[in-house]
Amino acid sequence: MAEIIKDDDIDLDDIDDELDNDEGYDLDGDPDEDIDTDIDDEETGDAEADDGEDELDETDTDENDDEADAEGDEDDPAAESATDDKDAQIEELRKQLAAKDATIDNIRNLSKETLQKMGVKVDGTVEEALEKANAESEGISVEDYRKARAATAEAQAAERQAKQQAFEALAAADLSELKKSFPDLLKQTHIKDCFDSMADFVQFGKLRDSGVEPKTAYLAVNGDKVRTKQAAAAQQKAASGGKEHLNSAVSKKASGNNTVIPKEELQQFRDMFPNLSDKELRALYKQTL
């Protein structure tokens, strides 16, 4: 028969103490805090290990990329040559800039010495001293001198612009006139492109300034070129024309003989092409019509 436990034998204080001591344990009797701590420590360790591996992988990847880029540059002679050329150009520009700065400094120093020898006191910059000296020589203030100088510069700029506009208008008109006589110039957008060199263009400009007509001036400069093109075109036409060309030769010759050249232009052609006969000059003149 089981022994009956009396209430008097149970100590409630002892039970409370045991319950208090058991708060840190789970159902299997292990301390909860220790378990959680161990798990956290393990997870943290694993995470750190993973991060370390990722960092190593990224480092290895970066190093491999750098090595690959370096190897790629070494294996590409064209890239190395382009880089060397660029560096050389930069270095040359730096030298030119340094030379210009040195020249400017030298001019300023010489100007300062010259002004001082002339009795002009240079307190600030050389430019200011020159402005002051010029203003005093004209009997005006520095401020008025600067205003007058600015007005003069503005007027000169306007004059240059007007001359440029007049030149462009004349060049466009001459080009339009030349295109009527020389179809090979139809694609040109500026008259300077009609000449093989700037020297030829300058010579054409001088002839125009002296009053020579555009066609005559052009032939005077590019006469050989025009004759060569015309001869080549004639040969090509003769080769492709066959009997049709032969049958029409008489009529063309007759019409060529009837071409009349104004006396002034005929004289200009004679001066430009002294080795050609009047008949040949008429044929050349007809081709320019």
Side-chain angles (χ1 to χ4, degrees):
M1 184 175 186
E3 183 178 359
I4 298 174
I5 299 176
K6 298 180 180 180
D7 293 340
D8 295 339
D9 295 333
I10 298 174
D11 191 344
L12 297 176
D13 293 335
D14 292 339
I15 293 174
D16 292 336
D17 292 337
E18 289 179 1
L19 290 174
D20 292 339
N21 293 333
D22 196 38
E23 287 178 355
Y25 293 82
D26 60 6
L27 295 176
D28 60 2
D30 294 329
D32 292 338
E33 293 179 357
D34 293 344
I35 291 174
D36 293 339
T37 303
D38 292 341
I39 291 174
D40 293 340
D41 292 342
E42 289 177 0
E43 292 177 351
T44 302
D46 293 340
E48 291 177 351
D50 292 339
D51 292 341
E53 291 177 357
D54 292 340
E55 291 177 358
L56 289 174
D57 292 341
E58 292 176 359
T59 303
D60 293 341
T61 302
D62 293 340
E63 291 178 353
N64 292 335
D65 291 342
D66 294 340
E67 291 176 358
D69 292 340
E71 290 177 357
D73 293 340
E74 292 176 357
D75 295 338
D76 190 355
E80 291 182 0
S81 178
T83 301
D84 293 340
D85 292 342
K86 186 175 181 181
D87 292 341
Q89 291 176 358
I90 293 174
E91 184 62 26
E92 181 62 25
L93 290 174
R94 287 176 178 173
K95 290 180 179 179
Q96 293 178 4
L97 182 60
K100 289 183 179 179
D101 290 340
T103 301
I104 292 173
D105 290 339
N106 185 41
I107 292 174
R108 285 176 176 169
N109 292 332
L110 289 174
S111 299
K112 184 176 181 179
E113 292 177 3
T114 303
L115 289 172
Q116 290 174 343
K117 290 179 180 180
M118 294 172 60
V120 179
K121 187 177 181 181
V122 182
D123 294 329
T125 64
V126 173
E127 291 83 355
E128 292 174 347
L130 289 171
E131 287 179 341
K132 183 178 179 181
N134 289 330
E136 290 178 353
S137 67
E138 296 180 10
I140 59 177
S141 65
V142 174
E143 186 65 24
D144 290 340
Y145 170 78
R146 289 174 178 173
K147 290 180 180 179
R149 191 163 180 263
T152 301
E154 185 177 354
Q156 291 174 347
E159 183 180 359
R160 287 194 299 269
Q161 184 177 5
K163 288 182 178 180
Q164 182 65 26
Q165 291 175 348
F167 167 78
E168 293 296 339
L170 180 61
D174 283 359
L175 178 60
S176 178
E177 185 68 22
L178 291 178
K179 286 181 178 181
K180 296 177 182 178
S181 302
F182 307 99
D184 57 313
L185 303 180
L186 291 175
K187 295 182 179 180
Q188 304 299 345
T189 58
H190 197 281
I191 195 167
K192 69 177 185 298
D193 299 328
C194 301
F195 301 90
D196 294 334
S197 66
M198 183 56 67
D200 290 344
F201 180 49
V202 171
Q203 184 180 357
F204 171 82
K206 290 180 179 179
L207 290 172
R208 289 290 290 118
D209 291 340
S210 64
V212 179
E213 293 298 319
K215 284 193 302 182
T216 306
Y218 181 77
L219 287 172
V221 177
N222 282 347
D224 293 338
K225 182 178 177 181
V226 171
R227 285 192 296 272
T228 300
K229 287 184 177 181
Q230 290 175 344
Q235 290 177 357
Q236 183 178 3
K237 187 175 181 180
S240 60
K243 293 182 179 180
E244 181 180 352
H245 173 71
L246 294 176
N247 292 334
S248 61
V250 176
S251 60
K252 288 184 178 179
K253 181 177 180 182
S255 61
N257 291 334
N258 294 331
T259 302
V260 178
I261 307 177
K263 293 182 179 180
E264 294 181 358
E265 294 193 27
L266 177 59
Q267 186 58 46
Q268 289 177 346
F269 270 72
R270 287 172 177 171
D271 294 339
M272 289 186 295
F273 310 106
N275 296 328
L276 297 181
S277 64
D278 288 352
K279 179 180 178 181
E280 292 172 327
L281 291 176
R282 282 195 294 270
L284 180 60
Y285 175 77
K286 182 181 178 182
Q287 291 173 355
T288 63
L289 296 177

